[in-house]
Amino acid sequence: MLLWPKDTDSTEDRYRFYLREKLNDNIWADGFNIDPELIRDYFYRFLYQPQDREYPDLCQLPDLNETTLLENLRARFNAGHIYTYVGSILIAVNPFKFHPIYNPKYVKLYQNRRIGPDLPPHIFAIADSAYQRMLRSKRNQCIVISGESGSGKTESTNFLLHHLTALSQKGSHGSGVEQTILSAGPVLEVSREMSELLNQ
């Protein structure tokens, strides 16, 4: 592995060359532990260039600026793809119509899958990621939904709750978690309406 750190000990502005010894597939001599699968995923996400120039992750854009970002979102929206990643963040463009991508088939498709290039961006992937992290770490998780009025925050919340409910039905906690998730819907709706009234 080649590293080019700046030589701060010298009065001259120069760089030094370092070579790290690889001990096996995962461990380097200076103690960094790197998962080869993670490296492959990064190469795929950041170096793979789709032929149709439509990028499911904005981090893949070769030239990231406001124009290319908006053009990519427009191209995806015109192709019927309302979701786009920015790393682990999801951008949703409200289509103002129902898309048939929220049925049990999609719940199962995104279940226990890592956010990444294997599957198209989807709100179920975000919900599933939070749910799996909660189970693994045994700590509370938070999903922030932000946007202008009419951008689809309420619908996005409903889809998140739908996916979390479906996941909780398969778990050992069963109806207790399901009931808690479902009871959050009205509270979220009231808080949304209150914030819109306060902003007027």
Short mmCIF file of all heavy atoms in Angstrom, two decimals, residues 39 48 51-53 90 99 111 119 133 149 162 176 180 196 200:
data_model
loop_
_atom_site.label_atom_id
_atom_site.label_comp_id
_atom_site.label_asym_id
_atom_site.label_seq_id
_atom_site.Cartn_x
_atom_site.Cartn_y
_atom_site.Cartn_z
N ILE A 39 -13.51 -3.22 0.65
CA ILE A 39 -12.71 -2.57 -0.40
C ILE A 39 -13.40 -2.74 -1.76
O ILE A 39 -13.51 -1.79 -2.53
CB ILE A 39 -11.30 -3.19 -0.46
CG1 ILE A 39 -10.58 -2.99 0.86
CG2 ILE A 39 -10.50 -2.64 -1.63
CD1 ILE A 39 -9.84 -1.72 1.02
N TYR A 48 -17.15 2.43 -10.37
CA TYR A 48 -18.03 1.90 -11.41
C TYR A 48 -18.86 3.03 -12.01
O TYR A 48 -19.49 3.80 -11.30
CB TYR A 48 -18.95 0.84 -10.82
CG TYR A 48 -20.04 0.40 -11.78
CD1 TYR A 48 -19.73 -0.35 -12.90
CD2 TYR A 48 -21.36 0.75 -11.56
CE1 TYR A 48 -20.72 -0.74 -13.79
CE2 TYR A 48 -22.35 0.37 -12.45
CZ TYR A 48 -22.02 -0.38 -13.55
OH TYR A 48 -23.00 -0.76 -14.42
N GLN A 51 -23.35 2.73 -17.61
CA GLN A 51 -23.32 3.08 -19.03
C GLN A 51 -24.36 4.12 -19.41
O GLN A 51 -24.13 4.93 -20.29
CB GLN A 51 -23.55 1.81 -19.88
CG GLN A 51 -22.46 0.76 -19.71
CD GLN A 51 -21.10 1.28 -20.11
OE1 GLN A 51 -20.95 1.93 -21.13
NE2 GLN A 51 -20.09 1.01 -19.29
N ASP A 52 -25.51 4.09 -18.74
CA ASP A 52 -26.57 5.03 -19.10
C ASP A 52 -26.40 6.39 -18.42
O ASP A 52 -27.25 7.26 -18.53
CB ASP A 52 -27.95 4.44 -18.78
CG ASP A 52 -28.07 4.07 -17.31
OD1 ASP A 52 -27.11 4.30 -16.54
OD2 ASP A 52 -29.13 3.55 -16.93
N ARG A 53 -25.30 6.58 -17.70
CA ARG A 53 -24.97 7.83 -17.03
C ARG A 53 -25.97 8.21 -15.95
O ARG A 53 -26.10 9.36 -15.59
CB ARG A 53 -24.85 8.98 -18.05
CG ARG A 53 -23.99 8.70 -19.25
CD ARG A 53 -22.63 8.19 -18.92
NE ARG A 53 -21.81 9.18 -18.24
CZ ARG A 53 -20.66 8.90 -17.67
NH1 ARG A 53 -20.21 7.68 -17.66
NH2 ARG A 53 -19.97 9.84 -17.07
N LEU A 90 -30.51 8.92 2.01
CA LEU A 90 -31.45 8.66 0.92
C LEU A 90 -32.16 9.95 0.53
O LEU A 90 -32.71 10.65 1.39
CB LEU A 90 -32.48 7.61 1.34
CG LEU A 90 -33.49 7.20 0.27
CD1 LEU A 90 -32.82 6.33 -0.78
CD2 LEU A 90 -34.65 6.45 0.91
N HIS A 99 -46.25 4.32 -6.44
CA HIS A 99 -45.38 3.41 -7.18
C HIS A 99 -45.51 2.02 -6.54
O HIS A 99 -45.49 1.91 -5.31
CB HIS A 99 -43.92 3.86 -7.10
CG HIS A 99 -43.59 4.96 -8.05
ND1 HIS A 99 -42.64 4.84 -9.04
CD2 HIS A 99 -44.07 6.22 -8.19
CE1 HIS A 99 -42.55 5.95 -9.73
NE2 HIS A 99 -43.42 6.81 -9.23
N GLN A 111 -34.72 -7.09 3.22
CA GLN A 111 -34.55 -7.58 4.58
C GLN A 111 -33.12 -8.07 4.82
O GLN A 111 -32.60 -8.89 4.07
CB GLN A 111 -35.54 -8.70 4.87
CG GLN A 111 -35.51 -9.15 6.31
CD GLN A 111 -36.58 -10.20 6.58
OE1 GLN A 111 -37.48 -10.39 5.77
NE2 GLN A 111 -36.47 -10.86 7.70
N LEU A 119 -28.61 -3.52 -4.54
CA LEU A 119 -30.04 -3.27 -4.76
C LEU A 119 -30.27 -1.79 -5.04
O LEU A 119 -29.51 -0.94 -4.57
CB LEU A 119 -30.83 -3.67 -3.51
CG LEU A 119 -30.91 -5.17 -3.20
CD1 LEU A 119 -31.52 -5.39 -1.84
CD2 LEU A 119 -31.71 -5.90 -4.26
N ARG A 133 -29.22 -2.62 12.88
CA ARG A 133 -28.24 -2.02 13.80
C ARG A 133 -28.77 -2.01 15.22
O ARG A 133 -28.02 -2.19 16.18
CB ARG A 133 -27.90 -0.60 13.36
CG ARG A 133 -26.99 -0.55 12.17
CD ARG A 133 -26.61 0.87 11.84
NE ARG A 133 -25.88 0.91 10.58
CZ ARG A 133 -25.44 2.02 10.02
NH1 ARG A 133 -25.65 3.17 10.61
NH2 ARG A 133 -24.78 1.98 8.89
N SER A 149 -42.58 21.42 2.82
CA SER A 149 -43.98 21.03 2.90
C SER A 149 -44.41 20.45 1.56
O SER A 149 -44.16 21.03 0.50
CB SER A 149 -44.83 22.25 3.25
OG SER A 149 -46.19 21.89 3.32
N HIS A 162 -44.24 0.98 7.94
CA HIS A 162 -44.72 -0.26 7.31
C HIS A 162 -43.61 -1.32 7.30
O HIS A 162 -43.83 -2.48 7.65
CB HIS A 162 -45.20 0.04 5.90
CG HIS A 162 -45.47 -1.17 5.07
ND1 HIS A 162 -46.58 -1.97 5.27
CD2 HIS A 162 -44.77 -1.73 4.04
CE1 HIS A 162 -46.55 -2.98 4.40
NE2 HIS A 162 -45.46 -2.85 3.65
N GLY A 176 -45.74 -6.70 20.40
CA GLY A 176 -45.39 -5.56 21.25
C GLY A 176 -44.67 -4.48 20.46
O GLY A 176 -45.02 -3.30 20.54
N THR A 180 -46.14 -0.73 19.17
CA THR A 180 -45.41 0.50 19.46
C THR A 180 -45.15 1.29 18.18
O THR A 180 -45.32 2.52 18.13
CB THR A 180 -44.07 0.17 20.14
OG1 THR A 180 -44.34 -0.59 21.31
CG2 THR A 180 -43.32 1.43 20.51
N GLU A 196 -45.96 22.75 11.04
CA GLU A 196 -46.39 23.55 9.88
C GLU A 196 -47.20 24.77 10.32
O GLU A 196 -47.06 25.85 9.75
CB GLU A 196 -47.20 22.68 8.92
CG GLU A 196 -46.35 21.71 8.13
CD GLU A 196 -47.13 20.90 7.12
OE1 GLU A 196 -48.37 21.11 7.02
OE2 GLU A 196 -46.52 20.06 6.44
N GLN A 200 -46.08 29.03 9.91
CA GLN A 200 -46.90 29.97 9.11
C GLN A 200 -46.94 31.34 9.76
O GLN A 200 -46.81 31.56 10.88
CB GLN A 200 -48.32 29.42 8.96
CG GLN A 200 -48.36 28.23 8.05
CD GLN A 200 -49.77 27.66 7.90
OE1 GLN A 200 -50.70 28.07 8.54
NE2 GLN A 200 -49.91 26.68 7.02
#
